[in-house]
Amino acid sequence: MRMLPTFDPRDTEAGLRILEDITSNAGHIQEQVLEEILTKNASTDYLKGFLDGHSDKGLFKNKVPVVDYEDIKIYIDRIALDGEPSRILTNESITELLKSSGTSGGKQKWIPKTAEEGERRAYFSCLLATVQNRYLQGLNDGKVLLFVLINPDIHTPGGLVLRTTSESEIKNRKDRYPQFILCEDTDQSLYSQLLCGLVQRDAIASVGTYFASGLLRVIKFFEEHWQEMSSNIRTGQMSDWITDPNCKRAVSLILNKQMPELADSIDIVCHEKSWEGIIKKIWPRTKYVLAIITGSMAQYIPALEFYTGGLPVVSPVYGSSEAFFGINMKPLCSPYDVSYTFIPNMAYYEFLPIDNHQDPNCTNRKDAHLKDHIVDLANVKIGQHYELLVTTFTGLYRYRMGDILLVTGFHNSTPQFKFIQRTNVVLSIHTDKTTEQDLQKAVAIAMQILEPLGFFLLDYSSYADTSSIPGHYVLFWELQLRSNDDIPELDQVKMEKCCSLVEQSLDQKYKMLRNQSISTIGPLEIRVVKQGTFNVLMDFYVSQGTSLNQYKTPKNIKSEKAIEILDSRVVGKFYSREVPNQDS
Ligand code: AMP
């Protein structure tokens, strides 16, 4: 592996110099990365099929097709299921397969990982730490309470370990994490992590999870268990049901005496009727919250603002099972302004321009001429939307990530991207295609009716119900009151107004189809579900193999079982009573 420019991770200035250097030479470094990948992997079965053993970059750009997961699944399955050698795809040795969360994009994917890739990602993490040390200076004075959960490893028939990115990071670098994080029982692990966080509440400077949705899950768990935790702290004894040796050992080092005063102070905070600002109240020295809050996570901004008491939310990175991409160089900026600066020596990045990003399917997915439109990292244009393609050392070549990004600026010569949405359409009936971003905007507008009444939307999802004619869109909403009271009977007129407002905020195509004399799409429906429903949905997806750390609520529910889970918890159904106005 080519040596990445080294630095002592504790030396922030040295790290920043390297960042300045690599972001000033993005174009050149990218060409080097591509050359290195081709030199290393030209003899793989996959590349030989297009390059005939050559490692020429021009040939690569000319001959290698743009693919998505379905196109290369056959190669990955040969390695994962049949135990064929890595060299089908890469001349690095595949040591693990990373399972992508698969809930936002649909199906779960298995992505090759190698030891060398582990080193590249560790390097990326050092650069990230540098940025955080620099820009969160003075805010990091204390401990970080980062909630992470792992599941047991699975082995593929071909003998490879199947894990998520976060599990891989934790299991390969065990020495860097407290022991209870190695517990594979998520309830015991989360209980232990929270308990230790409570005992050390005055030492915690920041609280976080990987994705914002995870933090809301932690808060719900805390709501269900705080009395038991407080009682453990009072007596100095952990509950009997925590039997995992890693948890017992790690917690006993911290919970080693009776602490009745601490328990009293926790009781006072948690007994308050409203949990507004609970994070700040329980961990009073917390200066910021760490969680990815962009893209589909942006829907959680209001809920997070409520629970954190307005603490800044730092959305640190854009990455995936396939590769790590970018770092947020302004960690304290508003969640709505976050952009990620790509790190040019991690992988080779290319971009497919998307002219009308409202319709992500506008680039025909199988168009043989797709590659004529591709631009490289150094040549993207500010204000343009692109779909990201990645070529990695680990066997992905011109692979469609399925993410749409907007170029917002440059850091030196390296572009910065705002994450816009996944390419997959969330809802579709007839010829209408509603994207995740459209739906999110429409839901936010409709919620303005309920917000003055003290409600916020904890989570939502949707599906196209075509069981009757015409089909219609169904949204499932889990509402919460700021006061923490039970949800009262909902005002029919206001809820119907919400339905109409969602419709009114969707695009012209939708409104046109709703307006046709023989309606092609029926009135939009909101089904309000009882509290805790989206946690049950999360548990369902976790039981299907998704990791809690990387879980993203699917916005387009396809699974009948998942729809059943939501439907069985519906407490109110409301329909739009107005046909949306096509002129606005
Ligand atoms: P996974 O492979 O399960 O880690 O999922 C990776 C996907 O998560 C990416 O392709 C994105 O769609 C999404 N993702 C990762 N980082 C971010 C981010 N910072 N903002 C928005 N979405 C993200």
Side-chain angles (χ1 to χ4, degrees):
M1 183 171 92
R2 178 174 55 97
M3 294 301 290
L4 295 164
T6 50
F7 64 100
D8 178 346
R10 288 161 303 182
D11 186 347
T12 302
E13 291 312 313
L16 287 174
R17 275 197 301 276
I18 286 181
L19 258 176
E20 286 306 290
D21 189 43
I22 59 179
T23 53
S24 300
N25 292 296
H28 179 64
I29 293 174
Q30 279 282 280
E31 287 301 305
Q32 276 182 339
V33 168
L34 179 59
E35 196 167 318
E36 218 183 303
I37 293 175
L38 295 179
T39 308
K40 180 175 261 181
N41 291 341
S43 63
T44 56
D45 291 8
Y46 184 84
L47 278 185
K48 257 197 311 198
F50 304 108
L51 304 180
D52 204 17
H54 297 285
S55 58
D56 181 76
K57 287 184 284 181
L59 212 56
F60 171 87
K61 292 179 188 178
N62 235 328
K63 297 272 184 200
V64 174
V66 171
V67 292
D68 54 27
Y69 185 75
E70 287 307 310
D71 299 311
I72 56 159
K73 184 173 179 301
I74 178 165
Y75 295 88
I76 293 181
D77 285 354
R78 278 168 62 192
I79 298 168
L81 304 177
D82 307 335
E84 289 197 45
S86 311
R87 64 168 183 276
I88 294 173
L89 282 172
T90 172
N91 279 323
E92 290 188 353
S93 173
I94 297 173
T95 49
E96 291 168 279
L97 291 168
L98 300 181
K99 34 179 187 166
S100 78
S101 53
T103 47
S104 62
K107 296 182 209 121
Q108 196 176 74
K109 301 175 219 156
W110 294 355
I111 307 296
K113 172 148 181 234
T114 64
E116 292 91 331
E117 180 62 18
E119 285 172 38
R120 279 185 285 273
R121 291 178 187 205
Y123 183 80
F124 182 98
S125 303
C126 290
L127 292 176
L128 171 66
T130 292
V131 172
Q132 300 201 333
N133 289 342
R134 172 77 174 82
Y135 295 102
L136 301 175
Q137 220 171 24
L139 305 183
N140 272 337
D141 197 11
K143 297 195 177 197
V144 180
L145 180 59
L146 183 68
F147 295 100
V148 282
L149 295 165
I150 59 171
N151 290 311
D153 285 343
I154 299 171
H155 287 86
T156 67
L160 283 169
V161 180
L162 190 59
R163 297 170 169 160
T164 61
T165 310
S166 48
E167 285 162 6
S168 167
E169 149 76 15
I170 293 163
K171 291 185 179 181
N172 286 319
R173 302 169 84 195
K174 287 188 180 137
D175 50 313
R176 299 184 70 227
Y177 292 90
Q179 280 165 326
F180 45 64
I181 284 179
L182 300 174
C183 167
E184 293 176 336
D185 175 319
T186 50
D187 277 3
Q188 292 194 48
S189 176
L190 193 48
Y191 189 92
S192 304
Q193 293 180 47
L194 267 163
L195 193 54
C196 290
L198 287 176
V199 174
Q200 303 178 83
R201 63 185 281 233
D202 288 326
I204 305 295
S206 61
V207 174
T209 50
Y210 288 108
F211 285 97
S213 54
L215 196 56
L216 295 175
R217 169 66 189 226
V218 169
I219 292 167
K220 278 285 151 214
F221 185 88
F222 184 42
E223 230 177 319
E224 288 155 14
H225 293 89
W226 69 265
Q227 278 160 315
E228 186 181 343
M229 290 176 190
S230 155
S231 149
N232 288 178
I233 291 171
R234 192 175 297 285
T235 59
Q237 297 287 327
M238 192 166 43
S239 300
D240 291 346
W241 64 274
I242 308 291
T243 50
D244 179 88
N246 280 321
C247 290
K248 284 175 83 163
R249 207 172 315 120
V251 176
S252 66
L253 295 176
I254 293 168
L255 181 67
N256 48 16
K257 57 172 192 263
Q258 298 180 354
M259 289 175 261
E261 283 163 21
L262 178 61
D264 285 344
S265 65
I266 292 168
D267 288 355
I268 289 172
V269 173
C270 294
H271 263 308
E272 274 182 36
K273 192 153 167 285
S274 167
W275 270 33
E276 184 159 11
I278 190 77
I279 299 263
K280 181 90 189 128
K281 289 178 187 163
I282 281 289
W283 293 287
R285 285 185 52 208
T286 315
K287 307 284 190 317
Y288 65 93
V289 166
L290 204 58
I292 290 174
I293 193 77
T294 45
S296 64
M297 295 292 137
Q299 63 158 306
Y300 302 111
I301 295 174
L304 225 53
E305 279 172 349
F306 175 77
Y307 286 116
T308 62
L311 284 170
V313 179
V314 173
S315 189
V317 288
Y318 166 42
S320 70
S321 310
E322 286 84 350
F324 285 2
F325 306 115
I327 292 180
N328 175 2
M329 304 289 247
K330 292 186 187 149
L332 289 172
C333 71
S334 147
Y336 298 100
D337 296 334
V338 174
S339 285
Y340 302 98
T341 304
F342 269 39
I343 301 301
N345 48 14
M346 292 292 109
Y348 181 65
Y349 314 113
E350 292 174 293
F351 300 86
L352 265 176
I354 294 189
D355 291 332
N356 171 12
H357 80 279
Q358 295 302 331
D359 178 4
N361 280 1
C362 62
T363 43
N364 179 351
R365 297 186 71 82
K366 296 292 170 199
D367 181 348
H369 300 292
L370 266 187
K371 48 182 189 306
D372 302 341
H373 305 285
I374 294 176
V375 290
D376 55 23
L377 183 71
N379 288 310
V380 296
K381 301 270 176 293
I382 293 181
Q384 169 76 47
H385 288 84
Y386 296 94
E387 183 183 345
L388 172 62
L389 309 178
V390 69
T391 296
T392 66
F393 290 86
T394 56
L396 307 177
Y397 306 96
R398 306 193 121 173
Y399 169 97
R400 298 179 89 137
M401 281 302 304
D403 290 341
I404 297 182
L405 311 174
L406 166 70
V407 186
T408 52
F410 280 81
H411 182 85
N412 299 318
S413 66
T414 304
Q416 298 178 303
F417 294 91
K418 185 169 184 168
F419 187 98
I420 301 298
Q421 63 178 338
R422 301 275 314 164
T423 49
N424 54 312
V425 167
V426 175
L427 288 169
S428 179
I429 288 182
H430 195 61
T431 51
D432 180 62
K433 290 183 174 55
T434 293
T435 67
E436 180 175 320
Q437 196 191 24
D438 290 342
L439 185 63
Q440 196 152 307
K441 273 191 193 149
V443 165
I445 291 172
M447 269 306 292
Q448 288 171 7
I449 300 274
L450 300 184
E451 275 156 8
L453 305 175
F455 287 99
F456 62 88
L457 189 63
L458 204 56
D459 214 335
Y460 76 91
S461 190
S462 64
Y463 83 108
D465 183 350
T466 49
S467 60
S468 54
I469 296 173
H472 70 293
Y473 293 154
V474 176
L475 309 189
F476 293 97
W477 281 16
E478 182 172 334
L479 293 165
Q480 169 127 354
L481 273 172
R482 297 171 75 84
S483 59
N484 226 12
D485 284 325
D486 290 340
I487 302 288
E489 189 152 336
L490 292 161
D491 180 319
Q492 172 107 9
V493 175
K494 288 208 161 62
M495 288 307 299
E496 286 170 1
K497 183 80 193 148
C498 287
C499 298
S500 313
L501 266 179
V502 172
E503 291 199 301
Q504 196 55 52
S505 313
L506 294 179
D507 65 10
Q508 287 304 330
K509 180 68 164 286
Y510 177 85
K511 291 184 217 173
M512 196 254 298
L513 294 172
R514 270 281 280 132
N515 269 281
Q516 280 172 346
S517 50
I518 302 173
S519 193
T520 319
I521 298 188
L524 182 136
E525 177 185 359
I526 292 177
R527 297 183 190 162
V528 177
V529 292
K530 66 179 178 207
Q531 286 174 297
T533 298
F534 277 84
N535 276 346
V536 179
L537 187 73
M538 185 191 289
D539 290 341
F540 165 70
Y541 281 106
V542 169
S543 75
Q544 307 286 298
T546 299
S547 138
L548 265 180
N549 297 331
Q550 280 155 254
Y551 176 77
K552 302 156 193 96
T553 301
K555 292 295 162 228
N556 54 338
I557 303 264
K558 298 259 169 64
S559 145
E560 275 179 27
K561 178 81 191 121
I563 294 177
E564 240 175 77
I565 289 173
L566 294 170
D567 262 340
S568 63
R569 290 167 174 80
V570 169
V571 290
K573 291 185 178 190
F574 307 92
Y575 292 88
S576 169
R577 297 269 166 221
E578 294 161 37
V579 178
N581 181 352
Q582 272 181 278
D583 301 328
S584 64

